Amino acid sequence: MGLDSGEVVLHAAGRCEDGYGGWAAVLTHGSHRRELNGSGTGVTSHRMALTAVVEGLTALTRPSRVRICVADETLHEKRAQRRPPDEPDLWQRLRPLLARHHVAWTEPGEWADEDDEDNEYGPAGEAGDYDEWAVEGPCDLAAELAFHQHRGEEVRAGAQSEENTLAVAVSRFLAERWDDMHAFEAADDVISTLRFSIGWYGDTPFTEMAPAEIVDELGAFFSSTLPHKQHASPHELRTAKRVVTDLLNWLVANGHVDADVARDRLEDIDITVDERALLKEFVDAFGGDDLVPWPDPSRWEDRVDCQYLTIAEVAGESLTFKDEDGHDEDDCPTVGPVPVRPEIAARARTGWRILLSAVRVRGQWRLVEVVSGDP
């Protein structure tokens, strides 16, 4: 069913990260448009999306026919079950609003497949296709801006502390970057992952560490957390290197870390990240055409199932892997030569350990899966 020019369309969006959230609602009716947004702490993306719906309906001054477009699976699921067990305060506000208005629910994308003739009216009441993204773009942006504003307030509050801890130093570092939204979010994302890494591998909580102790935690961060727990892309690895470089230089400039210690660590990070980015690009280069599905077991002559093997030889259109982890030759024989595209062979480096699966049929080894690797 197409949109009616008398119908109010409510686009709602919510965003949350580490308990800091933002919400936004965009109301359109004919040529009229209104945008609302806000933020919260200790929240979830679901709560922020639900808040956007409630605030959007509350803003309507008279009973209306409303189509609500919100990308929140939890909200649609709870609504379908007719038993909202979570966020009782918001559901208590939502129920009378739903009774007041004639509401239809939809998710983003549901209008995209409708025929042109069904989309009789656009948001301005004009004939033509209805472009939902023209509304959702500002809606999502408003939610992002609300989140950014709230996160900035939290960071600046943390920066006021007099404690000499890594957490306070990082808050001050981030606070200086808040005016540049993209730089701030890139740094905040990397440092959030660094917090996780320290919590996973470190002996001292992030909030209790002295600023200088960060140097000892960066090895595990770049060699294990990013490549194996976060499955970081080459771009994400290089972004993390840039943020950590800026952070270490800031800590040196503010007297928290020795300059020589930081320089040595940054040299190690350069080597580690560059090598891992190249290795990740090698792993990502394998596509569906480069791999084969597992054949019927009756055809197997040999196989390797999700095991680390070392690249021993690189030829123009093939690779040979060997087991260098102490397994018996009979337990894990040489795998190869395995045919690969020249573009993949050109990326390969001998000595890299690759987590892979392979099978030999009719004397020919073929790769079934290439998962990850270590330099």
Side-chain angles (χ1 to χ4, degrees):
M1 180 180 70
L3 291 176
D4 185 277
S5 59
E7 185 176 54
V8 176
V9 182
L10 167 59
H11 279 72
R15 178 187 170 189
C16 183
E17 186 174 330
D18 295 334
Y20 307 105
W23 63 266
V26 177
L27 291 159
T28 57
H29 179 252
S31 60
H32 300 287
R33 175 190 181 96
R34 183 177 179 187
E35 297 185 12
L36 308 166
N37 64 76
S39 57
T41 186
V43 296
T44 62
S45 294
H46 168 57
R47 181 174 178 83
M48 291 290 91
L50 185 55
T51 299
V53 172
V54 170
E55 296 297 341
L57 291 176
T58 300
L60 297 175
T61 58
R62 60 178 181 270
S64 306
R65 288 187 302 105
V66 186
R67 182 179 294 273
I68 301 175
C69 183
V70 56
D72 183 79
E73 292 182 3
T74 303
L75 176 54
H76 287 285
E77 180 180 303
K78 300 304 180 188
R79 180 178 56 82
Q81 294 173 348
R82 299 184 181 278
R83 53 180 186 87
D86 54 356
E87 316 298 351
D89 58 323
L90 291 176
W91 281 99
Q92 186 174 2
R93 292 180 59 193
L94 180 59
R95 289 192 190 97
L97 292 169
L98 296 178
R100 172 179 170 81
H101 303 287
H102 181 74
V103 173
W105 296 80
T106 187
E107 297 183 66
E110 289 189 12
W111 295 326
D113 295 330
E114 294 181 354
D115 294 334
D116 291 346
E117 58 268 27
D118 289 339
N119 292 330
E120 183 178 357
Y121 296 102
E126 298 175 356
D129 293 343
Y130 176 71
D131 184 3
E132 63 177 283
W133 297 109
V135 181
E136 287 188 342
C139 185
D140 290 337
L141 177 59
E144 185 175 356
L145 289 171
F147 166 81
H148 179 67
Q149 177 69 35
H150 187 83
R151 183 72 180 107
E153 293 171 359
E154 294 290 334
V155 166
R156 286 193 292 271
Q160 300 304 311
S161 174
E162 297 298 326
E163 295 182 356
N164 185 29
T165 65
L166 178 60
V168 173
V170 163
S171 291
R172 293 171 181 167
F173 168 79
L174 289 172
E176 292 182 8
R177 283 148 182 80
W178 185 81
D179 288 338
D180 185 336
M181 181 173 174
H182 296 294
F184 175 87
E185 289 200 345
D188 198 25
D189 286 346
V190 170
I191 290 171
S192 176
T193 306
L194 178 59
R195 285 175 178 266
F196 164 79
S197 180
I198 290 173
W200 188 273
Y201 292 106
D203 297 325
T204 305
F206 188 88
T207 54
E208 298 177 12
M209 291 180 64
E213 293 181 78
I214 189 176
V215 175
D216 297 328
E217 304 296 334
L218 295 176
F221 177 64
F222 283 104
S223 64
S224 297
T225 302
L226 286 176
H228 295 307
K229 295 191 180 301
Q230 299 295 320
H231 302 289
S233 67
H235 172 73
E236 290 168 334
L237 286 167
R238 294 179 177 118
T239 297
K241 181 178 77 169
R242 184 178 68 251
V243 170
V244 169
T245 298
D246 290 345
L247 175 59
L248 283 182
N249 287 333
W250 185 92
L251 291 170
V252 169
N254 285 272
H256 295 297
V257 174
D258 180 78
D260 291 336
V261 171
R263 184 178 59 253
D264 291 343
R265 175 55 74 188
L266 287 174
E267 290 176 356
D268 293 340
I269 290 172
D270 277 341
I271 296 172
T272 299
V273 170
D274 290 346
E275 187 74 3
R276 286 199 172 274
L278 291 173
L279 194 154
K280 180 65 173 173
E281 289 169 345
F282 166 77
V283 171
D284 290 347
F286 286 89
D289 294 339
D290 301 305
L291 307 172
V292 300
W294 283 108
D296 186 278
S298 64
R299 301 177 59 200
W300 295 351
E301 296 172 0
D302 210 338
R303 71 184 177 110
V304 170
D305 192 358
C306 209
Q307 196 164 340
Y308 272 103
L309 297 179
T310 300
I311 299 177
E313 299 176 17
V314 178
E317 296 185 12
S318 69
L319 301 174
T320 300
F321 300 87
K322 291 187 177 179
D323 174 27
E324 295 186 357
D325 290 334
H327 295 285
D328 293 335
E329 186 72 14
D330 292 338
D331 181 43
C332 185
T334 297
V335 173
V338 178
V340 296
R341 288 179 290 121
E343 298 84 1
I344 292 178
R347 294 179 182 275
R349 301 287 186 274
T350 56
W352 281 353
R353 297 175 65 250
I354 307 299
L355 183 60
L356 59 83
S357 297
V359 64
R360 188 176 68 187
V361 176
R362 295 181 179 178
Q364 174 67 65
W365 279 101
R366 294 297 303 272
L367 292 171
V368 175
E369 184 179 27
V370 178
V371 182
S372 62
D374 283 312

